Amino acid sequence: ALAAKRNVIAFDEQRATAIGDALGDALKQGIAREAIVLIAILSEENDAASNVARLREHARVETIDVVLLPLGEGRESFARAASELAESKLTARIGVYFEAPLGASEAAALTALPASVDIVAAPFNVYEGDRGLPKAVADGGRAFIALRPLEIAFGAHVAHLIDASPPPPEQGKPVAFIAALAELGRLEQEYRSTIAVHLRGADDEMDPKELLRWSDELAKAERMLDEPL
């Protein structure tokens, strides 16, 4: 992510140690810790403060910028976990996240959450999420983080936190077409296995897994160019 100039990095318990290694490399490359936003996603709200302290230790960082807690069935237990986490001073900001898409009307009902919870995170892309969700969250005085986002604009209430454009190739070092095609195919397969499986099309005729097939089309184009006229 850092190599692609992405400065907002989310991680969970399984990736905490890897985050620490990556940050160490980033510091050696002259990237300041202040330039990186770390978002920890907890799998449960119980013992939130202890879990964040353990994450911080494994990641070898003094602070975690944002901690996202799941909103279970018990609002009281969530409020208690958020309060304990706020008192611990282990994170700068606390948020709530949802694994299922959230409607704008549901977001408006989140006003009962503790004041310390000032971020709402939920799936939001061209297939999932209510178009009015960012505005509804903003109207409630909270920031919104889109989970599983795709590149699309939804108005003034959406801000791009990162520039995901890949760095240009070094002068004098052109990227081999076959290698680039293989890397593109790998990324498309990663999209199909990690993102497309969670998407739903507007109708049965549109399969999200078929959205990104550029490597196949480019391979066909290359074969056509190689054919004799």
Side-chain angles (χ1 to χ4, degrees):
L2 293 175
K5 299 182 180 178
R6 302 177 183 179
N7 68 323
V8 180
I9 304 175
F11 69 101
D12 54 17
E13 293 92 334
Q14 286 73 37
R15 296 178 176 86
T17 301
I19 286 293
D21 295 339
L23 288 177
D25 293 339
L27 291 175
K28 293 177 182 177
Q29 297 172 19
I31 301 176
R33 167 64 182 89
E34 294 76 14
I36 302 170
V37 179
L38 288 181
I39 302 177
I41 302 177
L42 300 187
S43 58
E44 59 180 5
E45 61 196 43
N46 297 328
D47 298 322
S50 299
N51 289 334
V52 171
R54 186 163 54 252
L55 281 177
R56 193 175 66 166
E57 180 181 350
H58 289 171
R60 304 187 295 282
V61 294
E62 293 184 2
T63 58
I64 295 176
D65 301 294
V66 179
V67 172
L68 298 180
L69 300 172
L71 183 61
E73 297 180 359
R75 294 291 181 101
E76 292 184 3
S77 60
F78 176 88
R80 186 165 53 252
S83 176
E84 293 174 355
L85 193 54
E87 293 176 1
S88 71
K89 306 295 184 182
L90 292 171
T91 179
R93 302 181 70 175
I94 302 170
V96 56
Y97 77 89
F98 299 84
E99 295 184 351
L102 190 66
S105 59
E106 296 172 293
L110 296 176
T111 53
L113 291 176
S116 59
V117 178
D118 61 352
I119 294 175
V120 175
F124 187 72
N125 49 60
V126 293
Y127 291 106
E128 301 174 289
D130 190 319
R131 188 181 179 90
L133 181 57
K135 183 178 185 304
V137 173
D139 289 344
R142 292 185 169 91
F144 177 70
I145 293 179
L147 304 180
R148 302 198 291 266
L150 295 179
E151 191 65 31
I152 193 167
F154 280 92
H157 291 277
V158 174
H160 292 281
L161 299 181
I162 62 171
D163 177 10
S165 303
E170 296 180 31
Q171 265 193 334
K173 294 184 178 180
V175 178
F177 181 79
I178 297 300
L181 200 62
E183 177 63 9
L184 178 60
R186 185 190 68 79
L187 292 172
E188 289 174 347
Q189 181 56 41
E190 182 178 348
Y191 157 79
R192 286 190 284 272
S193 62
T194 60
I195 297 178
V197 292
H198 300 290
L199 302 180
R200 297 292 181 271
D203 53 59
D204 294 336
E205 296 181 1
M206 181 178 291
D207 185 357
K209 294 182 180 179
E210 299 301 318
L211 284 176
L212 300 181
R213 290 287 183 184
W214 296 331
S215 59
D216 293 341
E217 297 302 320
L218 288 172
K220 293 177 186 176
E222 186 202 19
R223 288 194 295 270
M224 291 175 64
L225 291 172
D226 289 341
E227 291 177 359
L229 298 175

